[in-house]
Structures are given as structure tokens and as C-alpha cells.
Amino acid sequence: VVELIAHSDLALKMIQFLSKNDYIGKLFAEIEERKVRDPAYLTRMFSRTDRFDRPLLSFGKNQESELILEKKEGYTVAFVPIKKGRVEYSKEIENFIPALAKILKFQNYPIRHLLKLYQKFVEKTPKVEKNNCLLVKTDPLYIRTVFAKVSEKYLPKGIHHTAACILEPNTLASGDIYEFYGVSDLELNYIPLEFYTLEPHREYVFFEDRDQLKEKLEDSKVLFKAVDTAPKPENKLASVFIVKGTEIDKLNKNSWIVKDPKKHEFPGLDEPIRQAQLVEKYIQEQPSYPFLKAIEDNLITSQGILLTRHFPSPLLKRMLLSDPIYRNVKGIYFKYPSRSNDEYFSHEDRGFLLDLAKFAIPTYWIDQYSKKILQYVLRVQKDAGMFVPLDLINVFRKATFFGVYGSNLIAGRFDQELEKLLTGILKLRDKVAHPLLCSDTPLALVTGGGPGAMEVGNMVAKKLKILSCANVVDFRTNGSSVIHEQQINPHIDAKMTYRLDRLVERQAEFYLDFPMFLMGGIGADFELLLEEVNRKIGSSPANPVLLFGSSDYWREKISSRFEINSKTGTIKGSEWVSNCFYAVQTAEQGLKVYKDFFNNKLPIGKKGPIYKEGGMRPCK
């Protein structure tokens, strides 16, 4: 039951025209827990805007001029100064009342704009009078982030505000006219307002202000626990958008949107209309879609993070990189890279990761294997990156990259020599001043992440506290090829994963400053040739490549190829590449090569000598 009370003769005339189903107001739930306590909750919104460049909170021409915010009895109260004078209705308003009554039968009609046609501001003392309403004006108060309510508690004695005392956050001019009634000799100078928060996702709160959320996201235990609240089975897609720290603590299986989309074979450009329809259908079946759509439609206005069981489909790129969404999504956290290929990213996934990084949307892997949170980080000036433990990101970005290639079947006794070599390089940093090596240069070592020589490399790197990295490829096959199953070795800090059909792309993304080769088979031969080609075409600088093993071994593997290419003239002009490769048997020999290089004493590059034995310069 709603009781309507008229406080003026004009209001009494209006009541007579009202009838059932007229839209006369909205209900407001006055929840004590939502009252704003700290004035900083509001003041931080000054000078901030939404995605349409509209202010989130402003008052008057100077946005915050003369708005007094105080903490009263544990809650924030604003005292809004009124303008000297009052608003009165012209006589013509009585003729408008029947039309106004008809308008009230339609929802969301802009009545206030029509009423202004019959209002005038006069210079009279703003005092309430018996059987009449006092209308006063203030500067416009824009509040996009909270509800405001006139607080009866702080009004002068005998003065009351009408039931229409709520300022809504969904209007550009939340309030500039207030209606009072009562009997009092006191003059009204300020209007006291108390504030109530919106639902967390509609607060327009910036991620930088969510201290509790950021603190929880730095705790790996919290994230592992959070992602495991998603409903089973694990092969179903599940997502949730989180804007507040307390939401992480309250996550349960009902918090998530769960989907099980079936991906059809897309017909391609031969059937563009059907292709577009199937793609759009697949996008809308993703569990992240409802959240992204809500951001797009301005229903979610607070910034937050997308927590998802599987890395989002690259088909969501259009939405995630759109202006309204990338502004609000301040992080993507996922548990599995792929539903169909476990921890191995597709070519499209890696392209998507690059785009997310360039749009400054950080992406995190809640990695079950390492039990760490890994962030996708781009290599400096490279279109490639790796997932890196949070505490090693700065090391990764600044590091000079060494690498170990070799057989996944043969580890050999290389560990002792590699440890001596890397230890020597660590000491060498204090003695040279080279762009790739100086006192504050961190080192990283990259392998293919498998067993054999690769495991030796990663193991030694971990032992010496050098950043241990791996570009891991999925060597699982359907039995139609001869590829030895490779298990990922346990000594890896940072990693990127690849599917078998993208082996060439994976190899191209090693981007090593200083490669080292051990005895290897067809795979290592391919990697050696690629390093040679990179130097020839200039995609890799002419830095030395160490070939660990006997000179006879490397001579048999390399020299005949160089000699026949030189004899036939097919490498004319690029014979100099032969001076980039050095066969070494000991760490001391390798360290001598590096010392000469970092001291600019190594004859290497286009102006260096040509060795007839090809890419195999023995070291003594």
C-alpha cells in the first residue's frame, strides 16, 4: 500500500487526477550495509570519467567547488549549498496538470524537463511555510557511482524533504532542485546527502582502487583455490568476472557461467554468410560472452578480472579488444591453455596473447605443473613471449639469452662444462661493458624443455639461479611418425608451449643471443641450419655459436655442406657466416670465445675471415 500525502494546494489538485497504474515513483531499498563510510570513496571519483568521457562525480562548474564532504557518526555526508532564492510554479501549471496525469501512464517519460517550462527562480528567502512546498536550487550534482538520499537527520528542525528524496546514478544531472515541506523559522542553506553504493559491478570502481582485490590476486593460494570452485567436469568451459576482493572469497560453483559449446567445421570464405553465422553462434556460446556483452552494454561498469577455466577462444578477440571492454578487463586468469590440447597453445592462441599484451590486458596462467602464477610477458622488441613467474618478470625483460640445443636422447657429461661456462660468464659481467653483458645484466637460458641435453641445460641454469626457460612442443603423435615421446623436465621457470604442427614457428621464436649446440640428430641439425640462416639474413646478429664436441664430429657434420655450397657458388657473398661457429671441447675454450667477443676482439661477422671448413672454427 502506498500512501500519498499532499503538502500544498497544487499537490492536492494533482492527486485528484491520479489513477491506477500511473508511474509516480520508484522503490529504493535503504540497506544500511551499503552506506558509504569513507569520503575518499567519493572524492577519488572527482576528475574521473566513464568511457564516454562523462564525469563520474562532479558538482558545479569546477566539478567539486563548495561541496563539503564530512564523516558523521561513521558515515559520509555531503552538504550541498543551495542558491539564494527559491523555485516557484507559474499560474499556467494548473492547466498542465491534466496533461501531466496522462503522461504518468507512460514509463520513463522525461517529466522533469516539461515541469521546468513552468518553473521560475525568484530571489526570496528559502524558508518552508505551512501548506506549501519549498523548492530550492543547487548547482547540478553528477553522481554516476552511488545513490544519494537527502538525510533528514541533518536538516534544520521542522524541515522535511518529500518522499522524492533519492538522486539516481543513471542520469547526467542527478539533481539540482529539491522539494521541502514543514514549518520552521530557520533558513535552509545546505542540503545534507548520504550515499549508498551500487552493486559492485556497477560502481564504476577502477582496478587501481581495489586494494583488497589486488592483494588477493598476488596470493597464488587464493587463485588456485578460486579457480577450483568452478563446477565439474573439468573439460567444460567456465568463466566468472570479478570486480571486488570479497567476491573471490565467496566464489562457489553457482558463481560461474558454464558452457559446453560444440565447434563446427567452419565453411570458410566460400560461404561467407554461413561462416559469419557459425562464428557468431560459437562466440555467444562462450562462458565469457555474457560478461563481455554486459560490459559492452554498460551494465558492468566497474573494472575487474576475468577468471576462466580455459584460455579464452581467439574468436573473442573482437570483443576483448574493443574499446569499452579492454578498458574494464584488467586481467585474464586461466587454468588450462586448451580444452582439446591440454597445456599447448595453438598458433591462433599465441597471436591472441600478443594482441592482449599490446592492448595492456595482462594474462596469467594458474599453472598446475609449476604450482605458480605465470604472466605472459613479451620479449623486448620481439613479437614473442613466455609465461614467467611474477617475481622473475624484470629478470626476463632485461636478460641476455643463452640457449642449449641437442638430443633429447643423449645428456652426456655436458653438465659440468656448462656449469663452468655459465659461472665464468656470470663472473665476466663485472669485467666487461658490452650491450649484452655488464654488471647488471641478468642471464636466461632457453631449451626445448624436454629430457636429455635440454634437461641438463635447465637443471644447470636453476642451480646457478639463472632464469631457466623453455619453448615446449607437444610431441604426442597418432603413431604415424617416428618421434620419441618427450616429458617436460622439472627445472623450468618460464615457458611457452606449441603444438606439433607449428614446430617451425616455435623454433623461430627462440631468439637466442648466444646459442650452444651439443650432439644431436635431425632436430638439432634443423636448429643449427636455422641459426645459420638467421645470421645470413640478419634476423640474428653475428654473435658466436658454440659447438660442444670434438672437432672431427662437427667437421663431418658441417664441412662437406659448406664446401659443396661454396664450390657451386650458391652461398656467394655469405661465406663469412662460417666465422660465427666455434667448435669447443671445454668450458675454458668457450669462455675464451665469449671474452674475446665481449671485448670486441673476436674476428666475426661480414668483415671477418672465411673459414674453408665452414661453420666450424676449432678453438685451441
Side-chain angles (χ1 to χ4, degrees), residues 554-618:
W554 291 110
R555 186 179 293 108
E556 289 182 32
K557 180 164 284 222
I558 294 173
S559 297
S560 61
R561 178 172 54 82
F562 176 83
E563 289 170 358
I564 190 65
N565 286 338
S566 180
K567 183 178 179 180
T568 56
T570 53
I571 57 170
K572 187 176 181 179
S574 57
E575 296 93 339
W576 61 268
V577 174
S578 62
N579 64 44
C580 295
F581 296 82
Y582 293 81
V584 299
Q585 290 79 50
T586 66
E588 289 77 14
Q589 291 174 331
L591 199 55
K592 174 66 166 58
V593 173
Y594 287 139
K595 284 180 180 178
D596 289 346
F597 176 78
F598 291 125
N599 287 306
N600 297 313
K601 295 179 181 179
L602 192 69
I604 195 170
K606 288 185 178 180
K607 296 182 180 180
I610 296 172
Y611 298 118
K612 292 183 179 181
E613 291 185 323
M616 197 286 295
R617 175 61 176 164

Side-chain angles (χ1 to χ4, degrees), residues 42 46 55-61 63-65 67 69 78-80 138-144 146-149 167-169 171-178 191-195:
L42 294 174
F46 280 123
L56 295 181
L57 175 64
S58 68
F59 177 67
K61 294 180 180 179
Q63 290 202 349
E64 52 184 306
S65 59
L67 181 64
L69 286 170
F79 292 90
V80 182
T138 69
D139 283 327
L141 176 63
Y142 297 165
I143 50 169
R144 304 302 309 284
V146 289
F147 282 99
K149 179 179 179 292
L167 283 70
E168 295 185 77
T171 174
L172 294 179
S174 298
D176 60 355
I177 293 182
Y178 298 81
I191 298 171
L193 298 176
E194 57 189 15
F195 301 92

Side-chain angles (χ1 to χ4, degrees), residues 311-343:
F311 181 66
S313 167
L315 291 176
L316 288 170
K317 181 187 296 189
R318 181 189 67 195
M319 294 189 76
L320 270 166
L321 301 186
S322 66
D323 182 72
I325 294 176
Y326 92 82
R327 289 172 181 266
N328 274 40
V329 178
K330 293 302 172 183
I332 297 174
Y333 291 77
F334 66 92
K335 183 177 181 180
Y336 302 118
S338 171
R339 180 161 73 152
S340 58
N341 288 77
D342 302 323
E343 60 187 307

Side-chain angles (χ1 to χ4, degrees), residues 198-340:
L198 308 175
E199 297 89 346
H201 64 276
R202 293 184 59 225
E203 288 183 285
Y204 282 98
V205 175
F206 289 76
F207 184 72
E208 63 198 64
D209 297 326
R210 293 294 197 190
D211 294 335
Q212 189 179 19
L213 176 58
K214 290 189 290 185
E215 182 180 336
K216 290 186 179 297
L217 294 176
E218 292 171 358
D219 189 337
S220 60
K221 292 180 181 178
V222 170
L223 284 168
F224 278 99
K225 181 180 178 182
V227 77
D228 283 338
T229 62
K232 302 295 188 280
E234 291 280 302
N235 67 330
K236 286 193 175 181
L237 305 182
S239 297
V240 61
F241 191 73
I242 298 171
V243 301
K244 202 171 182 179
T246 54
E247 291 180 328
I248 293 185
D249 296 330
K250 296 176 181 178
L251 278 180
N252 57 59
K253 64 180 182 180
N254 297 318
S255 308
W256 298 74
I257 291 179
V258 181
K259 297 284 186 178
D260 188 17
K262 301 296 185 289
K263 192 171 183 179
H264 304 283
E265 288 294 327
F266 295 139
L269 295 179
D270 291 338
E271 298 182 49
I273 296 177
R274 185 163 171 263
Q275 169 84 1
Q277 290 173 341
L278 287 175
V279 168
E280 190 62 31
K281 181 176 181 292
Y282 188 70
I283 289 173
Q284 293 180 10
E285 289 175 344
Q286 300 300 306
S288 304
Y289 176 81
F291 300 111
L292 303 182
K293 182 64 174 162
I295 295 172
E296 196 175 70
D297 294 341
N298 216 37
L299 299 176
I300 293 179
T301 57
S302 293
Q303 295 178 345
I305 62 111
L306 182 65
L307 181 62
T308 181
R309 178 180 278 151
H310 295 85
F311 181 66
S313 167
L315 291 176
L316 288 170
K317 181 187 296 189
R318 181 189 67 195
M319 294 189 76
L320 270 166
L321 301 186
S322 66
D323 182 72
I325 294 176
Y326 92 82
R327 289 172 181 266
N328 274 40
V329 178
K330 293 302 172 183
I332 297 174
Y333 291 77
F334 66 92
K335 183 177 181 180
Y336 302 118
S338 171
R339 180 161 73 152
S340 58

